[in-house]
Amino acid sequence: MSRRGGGPVTVLNVAEKPSVAKSVAGILSRGTFRTREGRSRYNKIFEFDYAINGQPCRMLMTSVIGHLMELEFADRYRKWHSCDPADLYQAPVMKHVPEVILLYVCARLIYLMSHCTCMILYSSGLLI
Protein backbone atom coordinates (compact mmCIF):
# COMPACT_ATOMS: atom_id res chain seq x y z
CA MET A 1 0.00 0.00 0.00
CA SER A 2 1.77 3.10 -1.17
CA ARG A 3 1.02 6.35 -2.85
CA ARG A 4 2.86 7.91 -5.74
CA GLY A 5 5.05 10.65 -4.40
CA GLY A 6 5.57 8.90 -1.05
CA GLY A 7 3.02 10.90 0.97
CA PRO A 8 0.48 9.36 3.30
CA VAL A 9 -2.24 7.23 1.80
CA THR A 10 -5.86 7.91 2.65
CA VAL A 11 -7.74 4.90 3.97
CA LEU A 12 -11.53 4.75 4.20
CA ASN A 13 -12.66 2.69 7.21
CA VAL A 14 -16.32 1.67 7.24
CA ALA A 15 -18.02 0.20 10.30
CA GLU A 16 -21.46 -1.32 10.43
CA LYS A 17 -22.79 1.11 13.04
CA PRO A 18 -21.98 4.72 14.02
CA SER A 19 -21.10 3.74 17.60
CA VAL A 20 -18.58 1.16 16.34
CA ALA A 21 -17.00 3.73 14.00
CA LYS A 22 -16.52 6.16 16.88
CA SER A 23 -15.16 3.47 19.21
CA VAL A 24 -12.67 2.10 16.67
CA ALA A 25 -11.54 5.63 15.75
CA GLY A 26 -11.02 6.36 19.45
CA ILE A 27 -8.94 3.22 19.96
CA LEU A 28 -6.80 3.55 16.81
CA SER A 29 -6.22 7.29 17.29
CA ARG A 30 -5.75 7.03 21.06
CA GLY A 31 -8.54 9.58 21.41
CA THR A 32 -7.04 12.17 19.06
CA PHE A 33 -9.49 11.89 16.14
CA ARG A 34 -11.15 14.93 14.59
CA THR A 35 -14.87 14.80 13.84
CA ARG A 36 -16.62 16.27 10.83
CA GLU A 37 -20.15 15.99 9.59
CA GLY A 38 -20.91 13.60 6.77
CA ARG A 39 -23.95 13.78 4.55
CA SER A 40 -25.96 12.35 7.44
CA ARG A 41 -25.92 13.65 10.98
CA TYR A 42 -25.86 10.03 12.12
CA ASN A 43 -22.81 9.00 10.08
CA LYS A 44 -20.03 11.33 11.12
CA ILE A 45 -16.53 11.08 9.70
CA PHE A 46 -13.70 10.63 12.19
CA GLU A 47 -10.24 11.56 10.88
CA PHE A 48 -6.86 10.69 12.35
CA ASP A 49 -3.30 9.83 11.41
CA TYR A 50 -2.12 6.25 11.69
CA ALA A 51 0.59 3.96 10.34
CA ILE A 52 -0.02 0.56 8.72
CA ASN A 53 3.16 -1.51 8.42
CA GLY A 54 5.17 1.70 8.78
CA GLN A 55 3.23 3.47 6.00
CA PRO A 56 1.80 6.83 7.15
CA CYS A 57 -1.96 6.89 6.61
CA ARG A 58 -4.72 9.45 6.89
CA MET A 59 -7.64 7.45 8.20
CA LEU A 60 -11.28 8.36 7.51
CA MET A 61 -13.63 6.34 9.71
CA THR A 62 -17.36 6.34 9.02
CA SER A 63 -20.25 3.92 9.13
CA VAL A 64 -23.35 2.65 7.48
CA ILE A 65 -26.60 2.32 9.43
CA GLY A 66 -26.52 -1.25 10.67
CA HIS A 67 -26.97 -4.11 8.24
CA LEU A 68 -27.06 -3.26 4.55
CA MET A 69 -29.05 -6.29 3.48
CA GLU A 70 -32.56 -7.24 4.55
CA LEU A 71 -34.25 -10.61 4.53
CA GLU A 72 -37.85 -10.99 3.36
CA PHE A 73 -40.24 -13.82 2.85
CA ALA A 74 -41.71 -14.40 -0.60
CA ASP A 75 -44.97 -12.51 -1.24
CA ARG A 76 -47.20 -15.48 -0.45
CA TYR A 77 -45.84 -15.57 3.13
CA ARG A 78 -45.94 -11.83 3.91
CA LYS A 79 -49.52 -11.25 5.07
CA TRP A 80 -50.54 -12.18 8.58
CA HIS A 81 -53.14 -14.72 7.52
CA SER A 82 -51.54 -15.99 4.31
CA CYS A 83 -50.11 -19.16 5.83
CA ASP A 84 -49.71 -21.23 8.96
CA PRO A 85 -46.94 -19.58 11.04
CA ALA A 86 -45.18 -22.94 11.26
CA ASP A 87 -44.74 -22.82 7.45
CA LEU A 88 -42.41 -19.85 7.89
CA TYR A 89 -39.68 -22.13 9.27
CA GLN A 90 -39.38 -23.75 5.84
CA ALA A 91 -40.35 -20.74 3.69
CA PRO A 92 -37.80 -19.37 1.25
CA VAL A 93 -36.13 -16.11 2.29
CA MET A 94 -34.88 -13.52 -0.18
CA LYS A 95 -31.99 -11.15 0.48
CA HIS A 96 -32.10 -7.64 -0.91
CA VAL A 97 -30.64 -4.20 -0.39
CA PRO A 98 -33.31 -1.54 0.23
CA GLU A 99 -33.45 1.21 -2.37
CA VAL A 100 -32.69 3.95 0.17
CA ILE A 101 -29.42 2.23 1.00
CA LEU A 102 -28.50 1.88 -2.65
CA LEU A 103 -29.24 5.52 -3.37
CA TYR A 104 -27.93 7.16 -0.23
CA VAL A 105 -25.42 5.06 1.66
CA CYS A 106 -23.69 3.56 -1.36
CA ALA A 107 -23.46 6.93 -3.10
CA ARG A 108 -21.86 8.42 0.02
CA LEU A 109 -19.34 5.58 0.27
CA ILE A 110 -18.48 5.85 -3.42
CA TYR A 111 -17.86 9.58 -2.97
CA LEU A 112 -15.60 9.02 0.04
CA MET A 113 -13.78 6.14 -1.66
CA SER A 114 -13.01 8.35 -4.65
CA HIS A 115 -10.73 10.32 -2.31
CA CYS A 116 -9.05 7.26 -0.80
CA THR A 117 -6.41 4.72 -1.73
CA CYS A 118 -8.06 1.71 -0.09
CA MET A 119 -10.93 0.70 2.16
CA ILE A 120 -11.20 -1.40 5.34
CA LEU A 121 -14.61 -2.83 6.31
CA TYR A 122 -15.54 -3.65 9.91
CA SER A 123 -18.62 -5.89 9.93
CA SER A 124 -20.13 -8.16 12.61
CA GLY A 125 -16.81 -8.66 14.31
CA LEU A 126 -15.00 -9.32 11.03
CA LEU A 127 -12.27 -7.13 9.62
CA ILE A 128 -12.23 -7.38 5.83
Side-chain angles (χ1 to χ4, degrees), residues 14-83:
V14 182
E16 200 168 41
K17 298 176 183 167
S19 60
V20 173
K22 185 175 184 179
S23 293
V24 171
I27 292 166
L28 295 179
S29 72
R30 297 186 174 156
T32 63
F33 62 84
R34 298 166 300 284
T35 305
R36 69 179 163 103
E37 295 295 320
R39 291 188 177 188
S40 164
R41 64 182 175 165
Y42 303 108
N43 302 102
K44 298 189 183 318
I45 299 168
F46 307 102
E47 297 182 42
F48 55 96
D49 296 323
Y50 193 74
I52 299 176
N53 294 329
Q55 169 70 49
C57 299
R58 178 176 164 249
M59 305 292 267
L60 303 178
M61 173 68 76
T62 191
S63 66
V64 292
I65 308 168
H67 298 281
L68 293 176
M69 296 199 72
E70 291 183 357
L71 300 175
E72 287 189 353
F73 289 112
D75 286 341
R76 71 177 258 217
Y77 296 99
R78 286 175 143 184
K79 295 195 168 94
W80 281 102
H81 301 290
S82 64
C83 67

